[in-house]
Amino acid sequence: MTIPEKEVDFDNLQETVNKDIYAWIYIPDTKVDYPVLQHETDNTYYLNYNLDGSRGYPGCIYTENYNKKDFTDPVTVMYGHNMKDGGMFAGLHKYADSEYAESHPYIYIYTPDGMLVYEVFSAHETTDEHILYAHSWFEQESEIEKYIKDSRDSRSMGSVLREDVEVEKDDRVLTLSTCISSKPNNRFVVQGVLLNGSEE
């Protein structure tokens, strides 16, 4: 695996751009190359507000405060708009093509403590249910197992399942979620399993 080098000055970003930036996501050959934010109290804030605090699109890539910022939760859910210009999380829809998914298997997350590498194991349509809420914030092992099984069993149109990528109940999963323009009550998700721990 070739690890893409990226220098992210989090101190500078937090001081000069936005204090809520805590990570950076990068997926090669897409426009997904953005800071990740989390608002302290308002979980929908960055759905409607931009990096500079202005209201409107494209918003930001963000997680909710139900998730820790160190990516140690069993499942971390990250959100972004599906922009017509291909920006934000629009590039996730490329994973509906199995050949693309095979040739772009990794999601890279940069944090102040190091880099995390996730291998994509599933991409599919799902409902607009709140994933963390629907699975009781994955506090029970049974909910983690059910979520992984449901992801593996998905056979919706445009679903891509990589049977060669192993995912166990003790693994950490990253779920990237975006809208489907023609289906307002559905979402398209790309899921990856963590391959490494945080590096100093």
Side-chain angles (χ1 to χ4, degrees):
M1 183 197 317
T2 301
I3 304 296
E5 295 293 333
K6 182 182 289 292
E7 293 292 332
V8 183
D9 187 340
F10 286 101
D11 289 337
N12 183 59
L13 286 171
Q14 291 168 352
E15 290 176 8
T16 64
V17 180
N18 191 305
K19 65 180 178 59
D20 290 335
I21 295 171
Y22 75 96
W24 194 284
I25 182 170
Y26 173 60
I27 304 177
D29 298 326
T30 73
K31 291 186 179 181
V32 180
D33 191 6
Y34 297 109
V36 180
L37 294 85
Q38 185 181 110
H39 195 275
E40 186 176 358
T41 58
D42 185 350
N43 280 325
T44 64
Y45 184 84
Y46 287 112
L47 184 68
N48 303 304
Y49 286 87
N50 301 306
L51 275 173
D52 62 2
S54 61
R55 185 178 176 87
Y57 291 119
C60 297
I61 304 301
Y62 70 97
T63 61
E64 298 173 322
N65 59 24
Y66 307 121
N67 275 138
K68 303 184 191 74
K69 294 180 181 179
D70 60 4
F71 296 90
T72 57
D73 291 310
V75 178
T76 297
V77 183
M78 197 174 291
Y79 304 91
H81 281 299
N82 174 24
M83 300 301 293
K84 291 181 179 179
D85 65 358
M88 305 311 285
F89 269 179
L92 298 185
H93 287 277
K94 294 183 178 182
Y95 281 91
D97 182 313
S98 59
E99 290 186 4
Y100 182 90
E102 288 286 343
S103 61
H104 298 81
Y106 303 115
I107 300 165
Y108 302 94
I109 300 290
Y110 301 83
T111 77
D113 295 324
M115 187 179 69
L116 303 173
V117 181
Y118 293 83
E119 186 169 13
V120 173
F121 67 89
S122 177
H124 61 272
E125 289 186 17
T126 185
T127 67
D128 62 352
E129 71 174 11
H130 191 285
I131 294 172
L132 296 173
Y133 180 81
H135 294 275
S136 302
W137 287 271
F138 297 99
E139 292 179 354
Q140 302 296 324
E141 187 175 280
S142 59
E143 288 294 336
I144 301 169
E145 292 176 320
K146 181 179 185 301
Y147 183 63
I148 293 171
K149 182 180 184 301
D150 288 348
S151 298
R152 288 294 203 189
D153 291 344
S154 175
R155 291 294 184 269
S156 62
M157 181 177 292
S159 64
V160 172
L161 306 172
R162 296 190 58 209
E163 303 291 352
D164 59 319
V165 181
E166 294 185 4
V167 188
E168 305 294 340
K169 64 181 185 299
D170 295 328
D171 288 329
R172 282 184 264 166
V173 171
L174 176 66
T175 296
L176 310 181
S177 176
T178 194
C179 293
I180 302 171
S181 57
S182 60
K183 299 179 180 180
N185 296 322
N186 291 72
R187 300 292 181 266
F188 189 80
V189 297
V190 174
Q191 297 167 293
V193 59
L194 184 65
L195 297 182
N196 67 322
S198 183
E199 299 173 354
E200 295 297 332

